[in-house]
Amino acid sequence: MYLATTDAVAKSSKKTKKTKKSEKTEKSEARRGRVAGPVLALGAVSLVTDISSEMVTAVLPLYFVLQLGLTPLQFGFLDGLYNGVTALVRLAGGYAADRGGRHKLVAGGGYALSTLSRLGLLLAGGATAGIGAALAADRVGKGVRTAPRDALISLSGPPDTLGRAFGVHRAMDTTGALLGPLAAFALLWATADAYDAVFVVSFCFGLLGVLLLVLFVPGRRELSPPKPRDPAARRPGAPALLRVPAFRRVLLAASLLGAATIGDAFLYLLLQRRLDFAVSWFPLLPLGAAAVYLLLAVPAGRLADRVGRRAPFLAGHVALLCGYVLLLAPTDGWPLLVGVLLLLGVFYAATDGVLMALATPVVPRERRARGMAVLQTGQALARLLAAAGFGAAWTLWGIGTALTCAVIALTVALAGAAALLPRTERTP
Amino acid sequence: MTPSAPTAPRSLRSRIIAVAVAAAVLAGVAVAYTLHAARRAQSADAASEFGLDRGQLYFRGTEAGGAGRVARLPAPGEATPGKAAHQAARTTGGPSCERFYAAARTALCLQRRSGIPPKSYAVVLDERLREKRRIALTGIPNRARVSASGRMLSWTMFATGDSYAGSSFSTRTSILDTRTGYLIKNMEEIPLTLDGRRYHSPDVNYWGVTFARDDNRFYATVSTKGRTYLVRGDMRKWAATALRTNVECPSLSPDNTRLAFKKRVREGTRDPWRLYVLDLRTMREHPLAERRNVDDQAAWLDDGTLAYALPGADGRRSDIWSTPADGSGKPVLRVRGGSSPAAVG
């Protein structure tokens, strides 16, 4: 285990640059190509759980609209509502996890709740209220578990390999997200639309994920022996975190960029409009972006470890900006499709896990889960705002103008984030 | 995944065994349930428990214990208020269809299967409701009709969009002659005369075809440039003429003298449609007693009665109602939890 090095995380900035540098070079030499056991275990949990949850996510729109007769608008509303819920529940999850370092317990509870929600879907048998409740339970579980899980990853490895650790985790996570829909559609195909079979199989995967977590992910005792505390850590509540200037900067930068991110659904919709392919192929678009994400997550994480996390994080958003520009440009056909999906995949690979690695050194370990929850919620709420704003702009001024606005907003946000993000990180 | 140091290595083996056993058990449950579901699906695809008989009202059941499968019940000549639902006399266990219609000795069943991409099928069934022909399609099943003789079949699929209520949608309407086997997969190429002139536009969309007794003349809806028209078509001449505007989903009466259709009475997406009947001799139309919004191609139960699906109360997907064709009387609930009505006379 890497406890000796993780201790240094919170106070690494206080160490002299020289010691830190030599220590880290040494460690990364020793650990090249290897990732801590708990990270792999958490990756496996996420992989299996994502198969479970993406199976259901992939078929729910079909289930709602075709089997239950809801209008797409009703479904969209329900979905948006629950995504908002997730963002808020995440904060509670982070707070609960930090109290006494119960990351494993809280994350496990979240995984278990989502798994049980599959049984709820099964038992609801088409009653809209029951399905709504099951869906809410799933989203609450998802919200609760995310921050403690990322905190666990950040606590599991030496700080100079965190980019790679998050990269490996996100790659495994995305593998599950890719396999899930495929499994679900294969099941529907084999059983002639037996949605209950999808729910049952999803439940089995979810249960396996919980079991993997219980058995292989280290808990409180293994991870965090009582530490001499940072004085800031003793102050209660999240606001104390906001008094850490470096954290504030990261949070602001992530939220700023989030507020200029228009949302994948819009990008896919734009692609569909430009290329005019059959709507039945629509569900395949996210798979294309996810495949790129999957392939690049680990390399991006390694790169972030080597050159510092700031550059890849900003570069990822530049890739997204290029995607917007590509949609505005007179590109057509395959180059447009491949280009946008590729850029979107690069964006996720270079930003999602990298942001967590970027934030880790500025959040004391005692409030790691809370810090990540605040960061993720800030980003999610900013994105929600951006999606709403983009939708409004689209309706008011048409698609070309809306997209131009998005390009300008993202350029400004990038400049702001570049100025905000701390440069204190080590360079090679 | 091999967790290192923090947990005692001795227990690692037992933990791996525990996970392996649990995974095996869960895999067993998953496979068993899937096989069970697949077998259930096969039984739904299996031979129907009844055939096409005169004097029966066929429909697609939408309630639990027969959802998605065709059912039937005896169709009395007139609706009997009070005993409206006829729940006791219902026979279930027909084919699985999204849309269904039948006449004489032929039935048309539109199916939809999930997958990447999802596939749809038009399935032609004989008088014992056994599959005769299966045509693979893309899109979401929407309208299905069989001519009175059972010879001419037509159906409509939504290609994009999934509702006539939205502003943008596109349809594919097919016509199949079961005697010759000739299939027109997309009738959009039919020469159309509009306002006395040949009309050309890439945005024409046809839907809701209804055939006359001669199996040659037909009526349908065409939409172009944001307007909908009633068109009369001729199979042998392969030509269509627009007759009047603002008419959708026509349905020809058994005696071929009147045409029922839904007419847009309100702009926008809130309750836009009302059922009307047009007398083809006088070309005069009158609204029916049904005042609710009906988004269905009405079906004639006999020369005096029309049936159609409406969204059901208490969360049911739809119920079948009927109302007199002359605009008198009031609507009657005919089938609780059903859609796609078809009376085989």
Side-chain angles (χ1 to χ4, degrees):
Chain A
M1 264 305 289
Y2 310 108
L3 288 177
T5 46
T6 45
D7 291 349
V9 177
K11 280 147 278 167
S12 54
S13 52
K14 289 175 188 162
K15 294 197 173 174
T16 66
K17 207 151 195 172
K18 200 178 167 212
T19 350
K20 200 174 91 185
K21 199 166 177 178
S22 57
E23 180 190 312
K24 288 192 177 175
T25 340
E26 202 181 286
K27 281 288 184 309
S28 59
E29 289 298 330
R31 301 294 173 201
R32 182 139 299 163
R34 278 190 56 201
V35 155
V39 172
L40 285 180
L42 281 164
V45 171
S46 283
L47 193 156
V48 172
T49 306
D50 254 37
I51 293 180
S52 166
S53 64
E54 292 301 318
M55 276 180 84
V56 172
T57 309
V59 303
L60 268 186
L62 283 175
Y63 183 61
F64 272 91
V65 176
L66 290 181
Q67 296 292 111
L68 303 179
L70 258 71
T71 66
L73 193 71
Q74 283 172 306
F75 177 72
F77 176 74
L78 211 60
D79 202 46
L81 183 77
Y82 286 139
N83 278 329
V85 170
T86 314
L88 296 177
V89 165
R90 208 184 301 227
L91 291 175
Y95 187 78
D98 278 339
R99 294 189 49 157
R102 291 177 300 191
H103 299 93
K104 183 178 169 179
L105 186 72
V106 174
Y111 281 113
L113 185 62
S114 288
T115 300
L116 288 176
S117 78
R118 314 286 181 252
L119 289 186
L121 279 174
L122 199 63
L123 295 176
T128 321
I131 289 180
L135 210 56
D138 175 48
R139 298 301 161 90
V140 167
K142 198 179 174 109
V144 161
R145 74 188 181 226
T146 311
R149 181 202 64 200
D150 281 347
L152 275 173
I153 296 172
S154 78
L155 294 171
S156 298
D160 65 333
T161 61
L162 277 184
R164 193 172 59 202
F166 276 107
V168 167
H169 174 267
R170 295 302 198 262
M172 292 177 85
D173 188 87
T174 309
T175 305
L178 270 172
L179 291 177
L182 295 179
F185 286 115
L187 270 174
L188 283 184
W189 174 78
T191 61
D193 292 354
Y195 288 87
D196 53 340
V198 174
F199 301 150
V200 167
V201 174
S202 165
F203 173 74
C204 291
F205 273 112
L207 211 56
L208 186 64
V210 173
L211 213 67
L212 284 173
L213 179 94
V214 169
L215 289 178
F216 292 105
V217 172
R220 175 166 28 168
R221 256 171 306 162
E222 296 94 330
L223 266 183
S224 46
K227 290 253 92 316
R229 290 194 175 197
D230 193 312
R234 247 178 302 230
R235 272 177 251 140
L241 256 177
L242 298 180
R243 272 180 234 132
V244 180
F247 177 75
R248 217 162 46 210
R249 284 162 161 263
V250 173
L251 174 65
L252 265 177
S255 305
L256 194 61
L257 287 168
T261 310
I262 62 177
D264 303 354
F266 280 122
L267 290 184
Y268 299 141
L269 215 58
L270 284 168
L271 271 182
Q272 201 268 329
R273 288 212 159 186
R274 286 284 301 275
L275 301 174
D276 196 30
F277 49 81
V279 178
S280 46
W281 292 100
F282 203 73
L284 290 187
L285 291 180
L287 295 190
V292 177
Y293 178 16
L294 163 67
L295 290 174
L296 295 182
V298 179
R302 294 186 83 116
L303 187 75
D305 287 339
R306 204 169 307 165
V307 305
R309 281 118 201 184
R310 184 175 174 275
F313 183 69
L314 293 174
H317 283 90
V318 171
L320 185 67
L321 185 66
C322 292
Y324 295 175
V325 171
L326 200 60
L327 276 166
L328 270 174
T331 348
D332 239 328
W334 284 106
L336 177 66
L337 181 72
V338 173
V340 170
L341 294 185
L342 196 74
L343 288 166
L344 195 60
V346 168
F347 161 64
Y348 277 114
T351 59
D352 192 19
V354 172
L355 175 63
M356 295 298 116
L358 179 74
T360 297
V362 300
V363 185
R365 51 183 297 134
E366 290 85 0
R367 37 188 70 233
R368 188 61 57 73
R370 219 173 311 175
M372 299 202 149
V374 168
L375 193 57
Q376 288 163 352
T377 300
Q379 194 184 32
L381 290 181
R383 282 184 177 169
L384 213 65
L385 206 71
F390 185 76
W394 186 337
T395 319
L396 280 177
W397 306 317
I399 183 59
T401 318
L403 206 52
T404 311
C405 289
V407 168
I408 295 168
L410 189 52
T411 311
V412 172
L414 259 166
L420 276 168
L421 282 180
R423 284 167 195 275
T424 49
E425 265 190 293
R426 169 184 62 95
T427 40
Chain B
M1 65 247 92
T2 34
S4 34
T7 34
R10 198 184 297 166
S11 66
L12 176 62
R13 198 159 158 217
S14 54
R15 281 181 291 153
I16 289 176
I17 291 172
V19 158
V21 169
V25 170
L26 289 171
V29 171
V31 168
Y33 197 94
T34 305
L35 288 178
H36 162 74
R39 205 169 303 129
R40 199 181 55 203
Q42 268 166 15
S43 70
D45 276 344
S48 170
E49 285 162 31
F50 50 80
L52 290 178
D53 294 307
R54 285 172 177 278
Q56 299 279 336
L57 174 62
Y58 291 82
F59 57 92
R60 175 183 189 264
T62 58
E63 285 188 320
R69 297 188 66 175
V70 172
R72 74 175 192 185
L73 48 81
E78 73 291 334
T80 32
K83 269 189 69 186
H86 302 296
Q87 208 72 15
R90 178 185 295 201
T91 313
T92 54
S96 303
C97 310
E98 287 277 311
R99 294 272 169 168
F100 181 82
Y101 198 82
R105 293 196 300 278
T106 307
L108 173 59
C109 168
L110 302 186
Q111 295 180 336
R112 193 177 149 81
R113 289 281 173 267
S114 300
I116 304 177
K119 268 226 166 73
S120 298
Y121 299 95
V123 185
V124 185
L125 305 165
D126 66 8
E127 73 270 25
R128 295 176 64 186
L129 291 176
R130 285 177 310 199
E131 183 171 332
K132 272 170 72 181
R133 185 169 171 186
R134 174 176 289 261
I135 297 145
L137 305 154
T138 53
I140 299 166
N142 187 254
R143 303 287 180 231
R145 275 295 183 271
V146 178
S147 72
S149 71
R151 175 181 169 180
M152 304 302 291
L153 268 50
S154 78
W155 59 84
T156 302
M157 298 278 185
F158 274 117
T160 61
D162 54 4
S163 159
Y164 293 126
S167 53
S168 78
F169 63 86
S170 152
T171 58
R172 300 246 187 292
T173 293
S174 314
I175 296 174
L176 172 68
D177 184 335
T178 56
R179 191 169 300 166
T180 61
Y182 184 61
L183 169 69
I184 295 155
K185 266 207 161 180
N186 185 359
M187 64 176 288
E188 274 170 22
E189 297 304 311
I190 189 169
L192 170 67
T193 305
L194 205 154
D195 295 331
R197 270 196 300 273
R198 267 283 273 138
Y199 182 79
H200 300 276
S201 172
D203 77 337
V204 292
N205 269 306
Y206 286 86
W207 66 85
V209 174
T210 179
F211 270 92
R213 265 189 303 213
D214 62 4
D215 285 331
N216 179 56
R217 185 163 48 102
F218 65 85
Y219 293 88
T221 320
V222 67
S223 93
T224 175
K225 306 259 190 281
R227 301 185 71 169
T228 58
Y229 302 84
L230 172 68
V231 298
R232 187 180 58 220
D234 189 302
M235 278 304 286
R236 272 193 298 273
K237 291 191 191 131
W238 194 236
T241 313
L243 300 180
R244 58 203 287 141
T245 62
N246 201 21
V247 166
E248 298 192 20
C249 299
S251 186
L252 201 53
S253 64
D255 64 10
N256 281 203
T257 62
R258 285 154 298 152
L259 210 49
F261 50 76
K262 64 187 175 88
K263 178 174 169 170
R264 184 177 278 275
V265 291
R266 203 170 288 132
E267 284 307 311
T269 56
R270 211 181 130 262
D271 300 347
W273 286 296
R274 189 146 177 218
L275 283 182
Y276 276 72
V277 165
L278 171 75
D279 190 318
L280 289 169
R281 283 169 300 201
T282 63
M283 288 308 265
R284 274 218 292 266
E285 61 182 40
H286 61 263
L288 298 189
E290 177 60 76
R291 304 195 65 85
R292 286 169 290 182
N293 177 56
V294 177
D295 182 10
D296 195 14
Q297 187 174 16
W300 294 80
L301 296 183
D302 52 54
D303 275 320
T305 320
L306 280 156
Y308 45 88
L310 276 176
D314 328 323
R316 283 193 305 278
R317 280 193 70 179
S318 65
D319 296 328
I320 295 171
W321 290 73
S322 72
T323 192
D326 59 5
S328 68
K330 63 177 192 151
V332 176
L333 177 64
R334 287 298 280 261
V335 180
R336 195 179 287 275
S339 62
S340 289
V344 175

